[in-house]
Every structure is written in structure tokens, then in C-alpha cells.
Amino acid sequence: MKITVIGTGYVGLVSGACFADMGNDVLCLDVDPRKVETLERGDIPIYEPGLQALVTRNVAAGRLRFTTDVERAAHFGTVQFIAVATPPDEDGSADMQYVMLAAQNLGKHMTDYKVVVNKSTVPVGTADQVQAAIAHELAQRSVTVPFSVVSNPEFLKEGAAIDDFMRPARIVVGCDDEQAALHMRALYAPIQRNHERMILMDVRSAELTKYAANAMLATRISFMNEMANLAEVLGADIENVRKGIGSDPRIGYDFLYAGAGYGGSCFPKDVQALISTASGHVGASLQVLQAVESANNAQKRVLGTKVCRRFGQDLRGKHFALWGLAFKANTDDMRQASSREVIADLLQAGATVTAYDPVATKEAARCFPDETRITFAQSQTAALERADALIIVTEWREFRSPDFDVIKAKLSHPVIFDGRNLYDPKLVRSLGFEYYAIGR
């Protein structure tokens, strides 16, 4: 198939590269010339395990190309994926300007049948708006060109996106005509040979499915964080509680890890957008999700509170090592990362910070451009120098089995604040550390 992917951000680039790797002919469109030049050189602007090699291989094979030419992109693909950003507006709703611009450009230039696929995370009803925008542009040209609008939300985990795309648990497709459904089945046939993964439904249900999925996962995280805070007060261990409830097949173990709160480009934005959709369009109040968001915002301050409880409210003259900046392991994404709140709390109390992250240092530096009280180390050991305590915020694998003797020798005080519950409290305390975890 010939496929156009509009937008070369996280979703667009991963999708385009994976479709090309299946043998399709893919053209990725981006209006940023510098980004296109970077991609054509073989460099990628984001960190995702395996993506660099995937892009390089398919560019070399001639199956993956990049352009800034809107008209060329509109003519190229029978299937046109809209994978542009939908950042949150001030009221928490999704900003749809880039989606609508993509639809308008298609209407201005398309000359034959297209399957227009919303891959971006968009509010319920967006397909109708895309349909209307394309139809309006066609009417302005006084031409009749057939097209279908489909919802095909992505369910990619940062750090495991390629595997999620190639071996999906499900492929949700919302469409209202058989011709579009046949195109989507043909497109995804290479990854459905083992068993049927495609779930066909109406467009609005597909749009809501994406938001509902992320909202459910965010709810599980906030629930466990609240249970962890309660466990800590009651003298229980949240890890034992997690095992006890996770063993129930109705609940399961996934997304039951207590920690320093969720972040990233999806959960915070999608929870806010769903709350906004309910209140703005139907006058409903999603009380559970409002509580989820409130609990998560509070959870991001827990580590800072623990530090101040141990060292005092005035942290002037105190210096802390911080391991992990990205919102989760295996990504450099700093959007809504818990580390940003932890660092902000420490700096506000007068402390200084040396932080280390395997891949997110450059992104973190952009988040604190003029802040001289935070420095970035080249290794986890270097970050420990002259620190009064170690604070762990991201669950990178290399943090899971450190040399505790080295940590103890480097720190001014043998104190660890573990925001991801990486270690066995009894073991760490037996080594002479003060160990402050979440709900343990």
C-alpha cells in the first residue's frame, strides 16, 4: 500500500517506520523543514529503543521517505494517517488546530479516493469534524472526490512502542463503511496472521476507547498510590498488598505499582481531556477522574515532603543526588515528569541538585534552562558526589542493582528516598541506610 503519515512526532514516526517495515511505501509529512532534514540524514529527534535502526533500514530500502510538500503528501497515499499533536488547551481540552489543518489540506489537494485515518488522540466527534472540513474544501473546489474517515487510535507505550505496534494486544478501528474497513484489514493483515486482533466498531466508540483505556490505567496508578500512602501510616507494606490483590484474576498485576505519580504525554493530557469533554459538551462531572488527577498531582509532591520531613523545611546548604529524570524508563520524555515537581520542591526549599538520567539529560536541561542550582552528571556514581542523600524518581534498569557500598561512601549521609520502590527495605536498612520508600 501507499501510505501518507501526516506528522513525524512520536506516534507518526513510529507508525510510519513500522508500516514501511511491513513492506508498504510510506511518505511522512512534516511542516518543519529542520525536522525533515534531520530525518533524511538518518537521525531521529526522539529516543525510542529500536527506532533508529528501523528508520535507517527502511530509508535505505526506499520504503520510507520524508517531505514538507503538503500537496505531494495528499496525492501520495491511498491511506492518509493524521498523527499530529493534540496538546492540552488552557481548559484541559485537546487543541485540535493541527488535526483540522491536516484535514483542510487534504480537502484542498486530494483528487482520488482516500481513507483518512485519525491516529492522533482526539475527542469524541473529531471524525465528524474532519469529514466536514474535507467536504467543505472539496465544495470550495467544486469537485466531488470520495473519501472515508476512520478512527484508529494508537496504544503505544513509550519505551516499547515498536513491539506494541508489531505485536498489538488489539487494533481498534472505528469506521462506518465497508470499503474503508477492507482497506484497514489489508493494511494490518501482516500482523494478524497468528490470530484476529482487529476490533471493528463505530467511529465514536473508537474515539472514546482510547481515552477510556488511558483513564482506566491512570485510575489504577492513583488508586495504588493512595493505598500506599495509607499503608505507610498504618504500618503495612504496599508491595505485599499489591501481590495480594494482583493475584485476583479480576484485578491482575499490571499498573499496580505505587510510586511518585504518573506523567508523560498521554495519561495527564487524556485524563484532563476526558474531564473537559464531559463538562464542556454534556455538562457531566467525571468525579472519579477528577479525583485521579488530584491524587496524582499530590503524589508528585510526596518525595519532596519526605525530604523536608527528614532534613527540615529549610534546605539551604543541602545538596541532593537525583537518579532518573524521564517520566518513565526507556524514554527521554520529560513531559509532566514527576522529577520536575521533585526538583522544583527541592529548589524552592533552597537545595541544590545533581541529576543523572541515561537518556533524558538533554531534555531536562531544556526544562530548567536558566537554573544554576541544578547540574547534570554523566553517570549515576558521579551524581552522588557530596550529596546529602539520594533520591530515585525513575525506574531505570541500571538503578535496580547498584553498588550500595559505593553509594554509602559517596553520600554525606546514608539516606535514600526511593520513589519507585526498587529495593528491599530490610536489605537496604541492614546495610546501614535510612530508606524512605512509598508505602513501605
Side-chain angles (χ1 to χ4, degrees):
M1 279 192 174
K2 285 190 173 182
I3 301 167
T4 293
V5 178
I6 304 169
T8 60
Y10 187 84
V11 173
L13 188 56
V14 170
S15 299
C18 287
F19 279 130
D21 209 51
M22 295 178 199
N24 298 292
D25 198 3
V26 179
L27 180 65
C28 292
L29 169 70
D30 202 290
V31 296
D32 185 346
R34 289 176 298 180
K35 184 182 284 189
V36 169
E37 289 172 9
T38 297
L39 290 165
E40 287 178 332
R41 286 198 310 267
D43 298 326
I44 60 173
I46 58 175
Y47 175 81
E48 176 63 34
L51 184 58
Q52 177 75 68
L54 194 69
V55 170
T56 300
R57 179 169 69 248
N58 285 282
V59 168
R63 292 188 297 265
L64 179 62
R65 284 162 284 179
F66 304 95
T67 187
T68 58
D69 189 333
V70 173
E71 184 173 357
R72 177 191 173 197
H75 289 309
F76 183 83
T78 301
V79 181
Q80 298 268 334
F81 280 92
I82 298 177
V84 296
T86 54
D89 253 333
E90 291 183 5
D91 62 355
S93 63
D95 184 345
M96 298 301 297
Q97 61 174 313
Y98 305 115
V99 172
M100 299 314 298
L101 180 61
Q104 291 161 7
N105 286 335
L106 278 171
K108 289 176 182 178
H109 299 294
M110 57 191 279
T111 56
D112 57 359
Y113 176 72
K114 303 292 181 187
V115 179
V116 182
V117 184
N118 282 330
K119 198 71 172 171
S120 302
T121 300
V122 294
V124 177
T126 296
D128 294 338
Q129 296 177 36
V130 168
Q131 179 104 16
I134 295 174
H136 175 75
E137 295 297 335
L138 292 173
Q140 292 290 100
R141 294 165 53 197
S142 300
V143 297
T144 301
V145 180
F147 68 96
S148 304
V149 178
V150 171
S151 174
N152 176 216
E154 55 85 16
F155 298 97
L156 306 178
K157 297 188 297 292
E158 292 191 42
I162 294 172
D163 193 59
D164 285 346
F165 195 100
M166 295 299 199
R167 299 176 182 83
R170 77 287 205 199
I171 303 165
V172 173
V173 174
C175 64
D176 298 320
D177 67 84
E178 186 59 31
Q179 187 175 5
L182 288 172
H183 274 83
M184 297 304 289
R185 284 195 180 280
L187 183 62
Y188 282 108
I191 55 177
Q192 293 207 93
R193 297 184 67 185
N194 181 264
H195 65 275
E196 178 69 37
R197 293 180 169 93
M198 185 172 288
I199 304 172
L200 284 171
M201 60 183 71
D202 62 279
V203 173
R204 287 188 170 232
S205 294
E207 291 172 333
L208 183 56
T209 295
K210 167 64 177 181
Y211 279 117
N214 279 352
M216 172 61 80
L217 297 176
T219 299
R220 286 171 69 97
I221 293 170
S222 280
F223 173 80
M224 285 305 290
N225 283 336
E226 294 230 298
M227 288 298 100
N229 296 338
L230 179 62
E232 199 165 298
V233 174
L234 296 177
D237 187 337
I238 195 62
E239 275 298 292
N240 291 333
V241 175
R242 179 186 68 82
K243 294 171 185 175
I245 65 175
S247 60
D248 186 330
R250 297 170 300 174
I251 298 174
Y253 292 102
D254 292 340
F255 286 85
L256 289 185
Y257 289 92
Y262 62 77
S265 62
C266 294
F267 289 4
K269 175 174 70 73
D270 293 353
V271 168
Q272 289 177 2
L274 200 50
I275 292 171
S276 176
T277 295
S279 62
H281 293 272
V282 295
S285 175
L286 298 184
Q287 297 179 48
V288 170
L289 291 188
Q290 289 172 0
V292 166
E293 183 179 40
S294 177
N296 188 61
N297 291 336
Q299 195 67 19
K300 291 182 176 182
R301 316 301 294 268
V302 165
L303 278 176
T305 299
K306 287 177 180 288
V307 172
C308 288
R309 189 179 299 139
R310 168 60 178 80
F311 287 97
Q313 297 298 316
D314 186 351
L315 296 178
R316 284 177 293 183
K318 298 296 182 183
H319 180 70
F320 296 95
L322 188 140
W323 285 0
L325 291 161
F327 86 93
K328 60 179 282 188
N330 296 319
T331 181
D332 62 351
D333 197 339
M334 287 289 296
R335 285 173 288 184
Q336 302 290 321
S338 298
S339 64
R340 299 176 69 161
E341 296 298 327
V342 175
I343 291 170
D345 286 347
L346 295 175
L347 297 182
Q348 186 174 8
T352 56
V353 176
T354 296
Y356 167 73
D357 189 283
V359 301
T361 299
K362 187 179 293 185
E363 287 299 315
R366 292 194 187 108
C367 298
F368 300 94
D370 302 314
E371 182 53 71
T372 59
R373 293 173 295 171
I374 177 172
T375 57
F376 301 100
Q378 296 300 309
S379 70
Q380 62 194 86
T381 302
L384 299 169
E385 295 288 348
R386 299 185 304 278
D388 289 289
L390 167 62
I391 303 168
I392 301 170
V393 188
T394 311
E395 65 281 17
W396 283 95
R397 185 173 297 169
E398 65 187 78
F399 301 159
R400 295 183 183 180
S401 186
D403 188 328
F404 287 105
D405 290 335
V406 171
I407 295 175
K408 195 172 184 180
K410 294 283 186 181
L411 294 178
S412 300
H413 303 88
V415 181
I416 298 176
F417 297 92
D418 184 356
R420 298 299 172 186
N421 289 347
L422 298 184
Y423 310 131
D424 180 347
K426 290 181 179 179
L427 171 64
V428 178
R429 288 167 184 154
S430 72
L431 296 174
F433 286 93
E434 293 179 48
Y435 181 65
Y436 302 93
I438 307 293
R440 306 199 75 183

